[in-house]
Amino acid sequence: MKKELLIGVVVGLIANVIGLYFATSFFGNGEDVVSVLKAASFEGFLGKLISLGAILNLLAFFVFIKKRQDYRARGVLLITIIIAVSTFVFKFI
């Protein structure tokens, strides 16, 4: 049970990183990812980019639900909630 939850968390993190890469590539106007993330942090919309990256977690969540792997889906949901709370806290700090 804990192993399945951990697999879901790892899949959620990987999906978020891939989604963040796609978001920075789309909104970066041809710049590299690091410079886009630095500019986003400086201009105050890094949390929005991270939230856009979490969209791929929906895909992973529904794939796990469809395959009836509920604990893995819980792990993806858990990491999505953690990312949402951390971006909320990051915005107000």
Side-chain angles (χ1 to χ4, degrees):
M1 179 172 89
K2 289 183 181 183
K3 179 182 173 187
E4 296 293 316
L5 190 68
L6 182 64
I7 290 171
V9 167
V10 170
V11 169
L13 282 173
I14 291 171
N16 197 351
V17 169
I18 292 171
L20 180 62
Y21 176 76
F22 285 144
T24 56
S25 297
F26 184 72
F27 293 114
N29 297 327
E31 297 179 24
D32 63 322
V33 175
V34 175
S35 63
V36 171
L37 291 176
K38 285 180 183 178
S41 176
F42 181 72
E43 294 175 11
F45 64 91
L46 181 62
K48 293 176 185 175
L49 276 179
I50 293 172
S51 297
L52 281 173
I55 291 175
L56 281 183
N57 286 354
L58 284 172
L59 178 68
F61 178 77
F62 286 120
V63 166
F64 287 144
I65 290 293
K66 182 76 174 169
K67 290 183 172 184
R68 297 188 182 269
Q69 296 174 337
D70 294 334
Y71 287 106
R72 290 184 183 188
R74 282 185 194 180
V76 172
L77 184 61
L78 177 69
I79 200 66
T80 304
I81 290 170
I82 290 171
I83 289 168
V85 169
S86 65
T87 55
F88 181 75
V89 168
F90 181 70
K91 181 178 174 109
F92 291 110
I93 289 180

